[in-house]
Amino acid sequence: MDPDRDDEQGNAAAVASSRKTRSVPQAGSERQEAFTEIARCLLSRHLRRARSSGHPVLAELRLPEGDLTLRESAGFGELLLDEDTELVGYSALPQSDAIAVVATGNLRSLDPSVEPPAALASLGTGRVELACVVARDGGVGWFATAGPSPAGLPAPSEGRLLDCLRRAVGVPTPPPTAWPSMLEAPIWVANIRDLANRRRHKLSWSEALQAVPDLPSYWYEPPREGRAPGGSSIAWELLRIDVAKEPVPVELQLRSLSRLRQASPMAACPWLPCSAVAAWMDAGVLSRWVKDVIPPPHALAASVTDVLTAGASRRLGHSLNAILA
């Protein structure tokens, strides 16, 4: 038994549970309208700057004291951030009540069966201009336009931008929907490349299996009968704590895990963030970060086709599909 790991697991469970059960306050209609009005004001004030610079405009906001209403929403104060401010890892000043972004971009549907909003369809474009505000109590303000008209887009409930804004003001993000075991795929491929370089011949399937990484058991989803509520959140929180503990030198980020057997699995960078960013994240952000960074199965398999036999390459492709399903 590892007492330190048991303590960490208990702490991670408590953190994951509190983040999962802590509900975002449901703003009344007047308060929600006020947040929407703040977003509309910000878009009007800073859209030209966002267009001309080609960069999002970031601002920290001070909101009127007491219950925010539509009448008071025009009285917010703002502090514009430098143009080169990196939103990933950014934390707003303690005295700031909210953070906001004004940006331009293109809208695309991830589901071909979903029709675009009428305003975008009539313009025949996916170009949108938007402002999004996230307050420390979890309130979200949103306003988007397509050309001269409102775009008719609903306020987002998830996404990378919203994740970053939430973490900037310490708001929990949606929980993970997968397990850290997805990291097995890129680490295995990196190990295969490293093993092939050392053996100097194309690897058979049995040799490829020798490169399967030995990863912590908590990265994997347990059988249904042993599954605890919030288990994936606890697993990602444990991983986040491990990544945040100590920096991984840049030179180690470029090596495969097979050369670092004596080190922790955190040497699996570059599929994990640096320690400072991991400390800023929560379990949900980390899970989505990893999912976005890992290449799709076919790309991973193709990257080592030249060092595997045909049979081994085919079986690897099936295995990677299963891991990343």
Side-chain angles (χ1 to χ4, degrees):
M1 294 181 61
D2 184 346
D4 292 336
R5 171 55 67 184
D6 289 343
D7 289 343
E8 282 186 4
Q9 195 153 5
N11 292 337
V15 171
S17 176
S18 66
R19 285 174 172 167
K20 184 177 181 181
T21 57
R22 175 182 167 189
S23 60
V24 173
Q26 296 298 312
S29 59
E30 189 174 19
R31 182 175 174 79
Q32 186 57 55
E33 289 177 9
F35 276 125
T36 301
E37 179 61 17
I38 290 174
R40 189 198 64 77
C41 289
L42 288 168
L43 186 63
S44 175
R45 290 179 189 178
H46 304 303
L47 177 57
R48 179 176 297 179
R49 178 179 172 182
R51 283 174 174 169
S52 61
S53 68
H55 296 282
V57 176
L58 296 171
E60 295 186 24
L61 308 181
R62 291 295 304 273
L63 304 179
E65 294 184 3
D67 292 334
L68 183 66
T69 66
L70 193 59
R71 294 186 304 276
E72 297 167 332
S73 63
F76 68 90
E78 59 179 312
L79 170 66
L80 293 183
L81 304 183
D82 292 339
E83 192 174 281
D84 59 354
T85 299
E86 176 57 61
L87 190 53
V88 175
Y90 183 79
S91 294
L93 296 172
Q95 60 266 36
S96 296
D97 301 309
I99 190 165
V101 62
V102 174
T104 64
N106 291 299
L107 181 74
R108 63 186 179 90
S109 175
L110 298 178
D111 184 349
S113 66
V114 176
E115 294 185 3
L120 295 181
S122 63
L123 290 173
T125 178
R127 190 71 178 170
V128 293
E129 295 158 336
L130 61 91
C132 186
V133 180
V134 176
R136 288 196 184 275
D137 67 356
V140 176
W142 167 265
F143 194 81
T145 60
S149 307
L153 299 175
S157 59
E158 59 183 348
R160 176 173 289 188
L161 176 61
L162 196 55
D163 275 349
C164 289
L165 293 176
R166 282 172 166 154
R167 293 314 300 149
V169 288
V171 174
T173 70
T177 57
W179 290 74
S181 55
M182 67 175 72
L183 278 161
E184 180 182 358
I187 298 173
W188 186 10
V189 168
N191 288 354
I192 286 173
R193 171 66 66 180
D194 183 67
L195 182 61
N197 287 342
R198 287 186 280 113
R199 296 195 176 176
R200 299 180 181 275
H201 65 254
K202 289 196 173 187
L203 304 181
S204 65
W205 178 238
S206 62
E207 289 176 305
L209 289 175
Q210 295 173 23
V212 173
D214 182 17
L215 302 177
S217 60
Y218 74 84
W219 285 22
Y220 295 86
E221 183 175 8
R224 183 172 297 276
E225 60 273 10
R227 213 170 295 169
S232 62
S233 292
I234 296 171
W236 282 106
E237 182 63 16
L238 282 169
L239 176 56
R240 189 195 66 78
I241 291 170
D242 281 344
V243 177
K245 272 182 179 176
E246 53 185 303
V248 177
V250 174
E251 63 270 16
L252 296 188
Q253 297 181 21
L254 303 179
R255 301 182 190 175
S256 71
L257 187 63
S258 60
R259 291 194 178 185
L260 298 167
R261 293 291 184 183
Q262 72 281 9
S264 75
M266 299 319 105
C269 291
W271 305 290
L272 291 170
C274 68
S275 59
V277 171
W280 168 86
M281 290 177 164
D282 63 9
V285 177
L286 178 59
S287 68
R288 290 181 285 277
W289 167 291
V290 169
K291 185 176 181 180
D292 288 345
V293 169
I294 295 176
H298 69 271
L300 283 172
S303 69
V304 289
T305 299
D306 60 317
V307 298
L308 295 173
T309 63
S313 181
R314 183 173 59 254
R315 296 178 75 170
L316 177 67
H318 293 317
S319 296
L320 294 178
N321 275 317
I323 292 170
L324 296 176

